[in-house]
Amino acid sequence: MTKIIVDGNEVDVPPEYTLLQACEAAGAEIPRFCFHERLSIAGNCRMCLIEVVGMPKPQASCALAVRELPPNKDGTPKILNTRTPMVKKAREGIMEFLLINHPLDCPICDQGGECDLQDQSMAYGVDATRFAENKRGVEDKYIGALVKTSMNRCIQCTRCVRFATEIAGVPELGAIGRGEDMEITTYLETAMTSELQGNVVDLCPVGALTSKPYAFAARPWELNKTESIDVMDALGSAIRVDSRGREVMRILPRVNEDVNEEWISDKTRHVIDGLRTQRLDQPYIRDNGKLRPASWSEAFAAISAKLKTTSIGRTGAIAGDLASTEEMFALKDLLTRLNIKNLDCRQDGSRLDPAWGRASYIFNPSVAGIEQADALLIIGSNPRKESAVLNARIRKRWRAGKFPVGVIGEKADLTYTHDYLGAGIETLTDVIGGKHAFADILKKAERPMVIVGQGALSRPDGAAIASLAAKAAVELGTIKDGWNGFAVLHSAASRVGGLDIGFVPGQGGLRASEMAVSGALDLVFLLGADEIEMARGTFVVYIGSHGDRSAHRADVILPGAAYTEKSGIYVNTEGRVQMANRAVFPPGEAREDWAILRALSEHLGQKLSYDSLSALRTAMFKAHPHLQHLDEIAAGEPGDVRKLAGLGGAADKGVLRSCVEDFYMTNPIARASAVMAECSALAEGAATMTAAE
């Protein structure tokens, strides 16, 4: 630690701290535009100037480390001043320079009310300018469907350039020209292809980069702000839902160092127009092959009549990827009362089984634990598509150095260099047997990791592959005292919660893939399950929010609530219990899913014992106590992975493919979004162009 004096206050700080960080540790507030804690240092806005006693000129505090300060001759601590007239004059001069070419756009700028330049100009701006020349004009650039450019406002802080290069790993933004002619743009003004590009809008300290779908939609002071959790993938990123009236206007990230840091994917951020379109807002019944509007009592009566004429063994239920744990618990409770054993939360056909133990189906090292790992083997997964923010965490660890990554599965651009080991099970067997050079790398590592994707586990031989992956984890030394490197990467927000509460077939029950086969069932309840195609002849009751695949197939539709319209508990891929909060109310006659099941149970003669969400949670917590500990992870037993490794089984040959083909079209809300459709088309076009090149 190094002793320094900041504005008369003596503090001890690490020598690797920048002066800016040291001053803030002492309680001083330092303005900045280019500096960001998660990006490399650029030192090009100069707004963070401070006075270092003994140095003749003001110093850029972001670009000078404490260890780089020349020592005082008498050995006394260095003195830093942040409030002297010299510092104030220097910052006012910098602000005057920044505003030379900045347009007077504040009344029409989407950044208004959330603009760093506005805030700092209030503190350091002067009432007049000494420059009478015309302001510089810069053409706006096209950089894709999500980010709108107003480059007249750009102050060349290069935050966006550094984010694209360092965090996203897709270096598409850069500067052209020099001095006054410098401009930020993409190569040949093409669309950005990163799944994280929307974060540059949050990073931009002025209004040069704003959200294109949100343009001119609302002002920040008009919005109600609700802290919640994202369900577009299984990571559970912390988000803030901003709403006005009954409409969600935008979604922004919240800081959660253990999960998403402060980034969210573009699907998380821009899927909101899908919440407004193709909504189910009243019950429907199919008559003579066509769906017609109906009342709730009619719909319940139709379901009750069908259930009375259907045997228990030919009735089942499948939970979808966006279902909360409460509604799955309520549905399981109802099915148990009806003695129905055909239930499943694994609509993709995943062979994961809670009977194997919790450690067999969660991301055991944790998301933050990726930064402690020193080697990684990825099996049958493309983290960039399946969990873009988690992939950024892997890239962060890779950039820190000495982090070899091996991939078994499809070839893909993961944004970091890796060793492509092979495509199928034969390669995995060779690695386990020590026949591949990468096996030695994993064995020599102190904290190696093995990530298994759902693409590998959802094959018919998924159980054998899960056992092989667990065997790889055991044989290659990923399970040690204080470290469990076996990590299952889920793609569905509801999956871990469903496995935790045992939403899987009972004794002799059918799995989801078996229920979908022709002639298997006469009646099936689909709780937001849209990624599975039910065979003709099955009476389908669909409980969900959007008119997607299963709604078109349904015989009775019960309109449910989207994730922004209900309070629900989700368990992310690492087993962390999280709470999503309601921001708005469902449209029309739509209701929260648990309330629909509660009302249905009464018509079916098996009334559920809870009349409120709190009562439902009390029952769920009693059955599964770990779910009441929010933001905590109930760790799995490493012995479970060893047991899984011993299960064995015959795995078929073939490429281990990712479970996500189109990042932007993975659920009903995303498929209802015009913005996601445009992004999907752009991504497909970029892939075609790359292939042609």
Side-chain angles (χ1 to χ4, degrees), residues 610-632:
Y610 24 81
D611 296 325
S612 66
L613 183 57
S614 59
L616 166 56
R617 283 179 177 156
T618 300
M620 184 174 72
F621 294 157
K622 186 177 180 180
H624 309 282
H626 73 281
L627 293 176
Q628 63 188 307
H629 302 297
L630 291 179
D631 204 35
E632 293 183 16

Side-chain angles (χ1 to χ4, degrees), residues 63 77 158 164 212-213 216 224 228 231 233 319 372 385 388 446 470 486 511 524 585 611 615 663 670 674:
T158 68
K212 190 175 284 188
F216 311 122
N224 293 316
S228 190
V231 300
D233 56 32
Q372 276 72 57
K385 287 186 176 181
E446 289 185 22
F486 182 72
R511 295 193 301 268
V524 66
F585 288 91
D611 296 325
F663 170 78

Side-chain angles (χ1 to χ4, degrees), residues 426-496:
E426 303 92 331
T427 306
L428 178 56
T429 306
D430 288 344
V431 171
I432 295 172
K435 298 177 183 177
H436 202 289
F438 199 79
D440 294 330
I441 294 174
L442 291 166
K443 287 177 180 177
K444 291 176 183 176
E446 289 185 22
R447 289 178 296 277
M449 273 181 64
V450 173
I451 292 181
V452 192
Q454 294 304 303
L457 300 174
S458 58
R459 298 183 358 164
D461 59 344
I465 295 175
S467 181
L468 262 180
K471 186 176 180 182
V474 173
E475 297 288 332
L476 300 172
T478 67
I479 299 177
K480 305 174 180 179
D481 288 341
W483 179 256
N484 184 346
F486 182 72
V488 177
L489 179 57
H490 289 274
S491 57
S494 67
R495 188 65 46 79
V496 177

Side-chain angles (χ1 to χ4, degrees), residues 296-433:
W296 282 101
S297 55
E298 275 186 283
F300 289 153
I303 297 168
S304 179
K306 180 63 179 178
L307 187 62
K308 286 176 182 175
T309 60
T310 305
S311 69
I312 296 303
R314 297 185 63 81
T315 305
I318 302 173
D321 294 347
L322 307 183
S324 71
T325 312
E326 290 95 335
E327 60 210 46
M328 287 190 288
F329 180 83
L331 179 55
K332 183 189 176 188
D333 191 359
L334 176 58
L335 296 174
T336 302
R337 292 165 186 260
L338 294 169
N339 202 29
I340 296 171
K341 298 180 179 179
N342 304 317
L343 65 156
D344 205 347
C345 64
R346 306 161 298 182
Q347 62 172 339
D348 60 357
S350 173
R351 291 298 197 267
L352 291 172
D353 193 330
W356 298 344
R358 199 166 197 251
S360 69
Y361 61 82
I362 64 172
F363 202 96
N364 290 287
S366 80
V367 175
I370 293 172
E371 297 184 32
Q372 276 72 57
D374 50 6
L376 173 63
L377 176 64
I378 300 175
I379 302 171
S381 175
N382 181 345
R384 182 176 174 183
K385 287 186 176 181
E386 295 168 28
S387 185
V389 178
L390 182 140
N391 192 63
R393 182 83 75 148
I394 297 175
R395 175 177 166 78
K396 178 183 178 182
R397 174 62 189 89
W398 171 80
R399 288 185 69 240
K402 296 182 180 179
F403 189 58
V405 180
V407 174
I408 300 175
E410 290 180 298
K411 288 186 177 181
D413 176 11
L414 299 178
T415 72
Y416 40 84
T417 57
H418 57 271
D419 295 327
Y420 182 69
L421 309 181
I425 293 301
E426 303 92 331
T427 306
L428 178 56
T429 306
D430 288 344
V431 171
I432 295 172

Side-chain angles (χ1 to χ4, degrees), residues 22 50 114 129 282 326 422 481 498 663:
I50 64 169
E114 298 173 316
T129 178
Q282 65 184 101
E326 290 95 335
D481 288 341
F663 170 78

